[in-house]
Structure formats: C-alpha cells, structure tokens
Amino acid sequence: MRFPDLVPQLKAALPELRGRLTANQPLADITWFRVGGPAQVFYAPADADDLAYFRAGIPTDLQVIVIGLGSNLLVRDGGVPGVVIRLGRGFSQVAIEPGHRIRCGTAVPDVKLARAAADAGISGLAFYRGIPGSVGGALRMNGGAHGRETKDVLVEARAVDPQGRQHALSLADMDFTYRHCGIPADWTFTEAVFQGMPGEPAEILQQMSEVAEYREANQPIKDRTGGSTFKNPPGDSAWKLIDAAGCRGLRVGGAKVSELHCNFLINDGNATAEDIERLGETVRARVRQTSGVVLQWEIVRIGLARDGKLTGEALAEMTVG
Ligand SMILES: Cc1cc2nc3c(=O)[nH]c(=O)nc-3n(C[C@H](O)[C@H](O)[C@H](O)COP(=O)(O)OP(=O)(O)OC[C@H]3O[C@@H](n4cnc5c(N)ncnc54)[C@H](O)[C@@H]3O)c2cc1C
C-alpha cells in the first residue's frame, strides 16, 4: 500500500521548514498493536515554532493527525492519508520548577515524567508509572489510573492549532471529562505543566514499584495491545459487561480478547487491523445483545481500511450471529 508522494510539493511550499518529512512511513512499528499501513506524509517537527510554520503553510484540505507513543491507537490496514505528526526530540525536555511543579514537552513518556517527579521529591504523579503513553497522549485522553487523572495534576498546557497559532491553555480550557479532552482534535499539544506535592523520593519510588507490580499481575503489558478498548460506561465496568457477554478469549483471525483482562484486545502474532477492529465490534455487539449497553471505543482508530473493506459497526454485522 503506497500513497502518492506529497513530500516534494510540501518542501517546495515550506522552504524554512526544519523538521523531517517522510513519504509513506510505516506506522506499525511505532504503535503497540504493531499493525496498520503507512502515513502518506510523516512529519517530525523540530520544535513548536517549526510545527506552527508547518500548520500555517500547508493546504487547508490536507488531513492532519498527531500520534504519540501509539499505546491507545489502532492504525487501519490501508494507512493514513494526509499528514501524521509525531513529536520527538524538540518536545522531550523536562524541567523542575518552584512550588513542586514540572514543565515538560509532550513527547516525554509518562513513565519518565513519573520518574523525574520522584527524583525531585514531587509526589502525586506516581500513577503515570502505569500509563505507557506520552504526555501529549495523556492530555488528549485525560489519561488516568489508580484513582487519579491528568485533570487532577495539570496546571496548564500549550498547543498549536491548525492555523499555526500557539495557545496557552488553562486547566479549565482543557474541559477534561473521563478519557476526554474538550480541545479540538486537530490541535497539537506541545508542552504541559504539572502540579505535585512535597514527597520523599524513596516513598514515591516505592509507590511506583507497586503500580508496576499491579500492572504486571493484572494487564497483558507484554503483549501487542492498545490498553483498555472501551470506556467504562457510567456506574459500570466495561470488562464485567464483556465477561458477562462470554467474550473472554474470543478470537477473530489473529486478534484475541485477553484472558487476563478482557477489556484488552491482543494481536496474537499475525493480526491485521481489520481483525482487531472486527473483534472489537463483535464484542460491542455481543455486549449490546446481552446487557443493552452500547460500549464506546476508548482506543482511537485512524486511517483507511484496505481496499473495499469495511470499518466500524458494519464489520460486526457480518460476524455476529
Ligand atoms: C498496556 C497498556 C496499559 C494502559 N493503561 C492505561 C491506564 O491505566 N490509563 C489510561 O488512561 N490509559 C492507559 N492506556 C492507554 C494509553 O497508554 C493512554 O491513553 C495514553 O495516554 C496514550 O498516549 P500515547 O502517547 O500512546 O497516544 P497515542 O495512542 O499515540 O494517541 C492517542 C490519542 O492521543 C492523541 N495525541 C497523542 N499525542 C498528542 C499530542 N501531542 N497532541 C494532541 N493529541 C495527541 C492522538 O491523536 C490520539 O487521539 C494503556 C495502554 C496500554 C497499551
């Protein structure tokens, strides 16, 4: 699967661009599920100013998606038309600030944020030890675990909009709800400031070890997965509904519902993105049949199906008897 190469045209229109542009960059290697097609254009900005210049200078009808560490992402088999942005080195700074605050770039892995906080004697961020995404992904998903969410610790963020304007956003601006952020989906977060409390590094490191041990025992963290597949419906648990619908261990092609945690889907070795999406939709349909609850995807699905193939609920209609 290859898209027409747009890179020469973009380079010509953006002579001062400092970031890297690549045509038809495979994405499977940089997502947890290890499936899916390429990005038509893959852009790694040098820094926030470079990103702003890029956004202001590209055709307005070119679709742009940003990805982080791909831990909550399903890239479809036909790849992603338009531009996929992935932040790298220019967004990986971490700085300790007065008042038990940490400022960091949004390419920083959550685990690294947790560790930097522990080293600096800042408590309250240990829960990030268990989330294998980036700070950008945590802002977009209001990532949370062990009773805390990003909305409990964020002070402010910075973002670049599709016109290339840079914004400072307060916690209220982020309009966080469960696994959701109210900032438009086509804005890219570039920086964040977190508030912690004074703490003892040894105690915080101990908390982080406990988080890691809990994960190892209860989640398939060594598998090719996308984390929780569906959001918990109000007052209920997605995994309980999935279990009650008899879906634990269910298979479609190379995709399987985890035996360890049945709200996790696993690429068992040779799954396609279509197998995984079809399995997810089959689970949704069975849960709807048995409990009446319509589960909402937490995993973000991007890109096109392979030629002529279906996506979304249409996949399940053919599978569920
Ligand atoms: C084993 C495992 C365990 C997990 N446990 C948890 C958990 O306990 N709690 C939890 O909340 N999540 C969990 N997740 C899901 C996932 O780690 C989080 O949702 C994480 O915040 C996603 O970050 P990411 O960088 O991987 O984003 P991606 O998966 O790459 O992208 C997810 C979304 O974030 C957007 N995004 C990424 N970066 C930016 C940016 N810079 N600006 C704007 N938007 C951006 C993308 O467009 C996409 O919509 C788990 C996943 C796995 C695989």
Side-chain angles (χ1 to χ4, degrees):
M1 162 81 232
R2 284 185 77 78
F3 292 105
D5 183 355
L6 300 180
V7 168
Q9 176 189 327
L10 288 172
K11 281 189 174 162
L14 300 161
E16 286 163 34
L17 196 73
R18 290 173 289 119
R20 189 166 40 87
L21 290 173
T22 321
N24 286 295
Q25 166 90 29
L27 295 175
D29 294 348
I30 54 170
T31 67
W32 269 63
F33 270 128
R34 296 279 187 276
V35 297
Q40 183 168 20
V41 176
F42 186 78
Y43 168 50
D47 52 31
D49 290 339
D50 191 56
L51 173 60
Y53 172 71
F54 178 82
R55 296 286 334 233
I58 61 171
T60 50
D61 59 351
L62 196 58
Q63 181 189 304
V64 177
I65 293 178
V66 58
I67 65 170
L69 293 176
S71 63
N72 210 212
L73 198 67
L74 180 61
V75 178
R76 293 192 176 110
D77 301 310
V80 185
V83 180
V84 172
I85 298 175
R86 190 163 188 259
L87 308 182
R89 249 204 320 238
F91 303 83
S92 56
Q93 74 286 359
V94 179
I96 307 300
E97 298 200 335
H100 305 96
R101 289 185 169 187
I102 299 197
R103 179 181 298 273
C104 63
T106 47
V108 171
D110 296 339
V111 175
K112 193 172 166 195
L113 167 64
R115 202 162 293 136
D119 289 346
I122 297 176
S123 72
L125 301 172
F127 70 97
Y128 280 126
R129 170 64 185 82
I131 308 181
S134 64
V135 167
L139 297 185
R140 173 57 65 197
M141 304 303 296
N142 185 21
H146 306 279
R148 308 209 83 192
E149 296 180 306
T150 298
K151 79 169 173 45
D152 301 324
V153 290
L154 187 80
V155 177
E156 62 190 37
R158 292 190 65 80
V160 175
D161 74 14
Q163 287 73 41
R165 293 176 300 226
Q166 300 194 43
H167 300 262
L169 302 163
S170 68
L171 174 60
D173 292 333
M174 297 295 279
D175 196 15
F176 282 131
T177 51
Y178 169 58
R179 299 294 174 267
H180 177 80
C181 163
I183 297 298
D186 51 4
W187 290 32
T188 304
F189 298 117
T190 53
E191 193 178 87
V193 180
F194 296 94
Q195 179 70 61
M197 294 159 289
E200 276 304 315
E203 269 174 37
I204 304 167
L205 288 169
Q206 177 58 31
Q207 279 171 20
M208 286 170 56
S209 301
E210 287 165 13
V211 167
E213 277 165 28
Y214 175 85
R215 297 272 154 171
E216 196 137 339
N218 294 290
Q219 294 183 351
I221 55 169
K222 298 207 169 103
D223 286 315
R224 301 164 195 201
T225 179
S228 293
T229 310
F230 302 107
K231 298 184 186 188
N232 288 321
D236 216 331
S237 298
W239 78 263
K240 285 185 187 157
L241 296 166
I242 295 168
D243 216 10
C247 295
R248 191 180 288 267
L250 188 71
R251 272 189 174 281
V252 170
K256 185 180 172 195
V257 176
S258 167
E259 302 274 2
L260 185 61
H261 190 317
C262 60
N263 194 23
F264 280 56
L265 305 184
I266 291 170
N267 171 1
D268 221 7
N270 61 351
T272 60
E274 187 190 337
D275 290 341
I276 296 168
E277 190 168 13
R278 189 191 293 267
L279 178 60
E281 288 297 346
T282 304
V283 169
R284 278 182 86 217
R286 291 197 179 176
V287 168
R288 193 166 55 221
Q289 279 167 1
T290 52
S291 66
V293 176
V294 179
L295 292 175
Q296 302 299 322
W297 283 88
E298 178 173 326
I299 287 176
V300 177
R301 293 160 295 161
I302 61 171
L304 306 172
R306 220 182 274 285
D307 285 346
K309 300 281 183 148
L310 301 170
T311 59
E313 290 184 7
L315 280 172
E317 277 169 25
M318 298 172 349
T319 320
V320 182

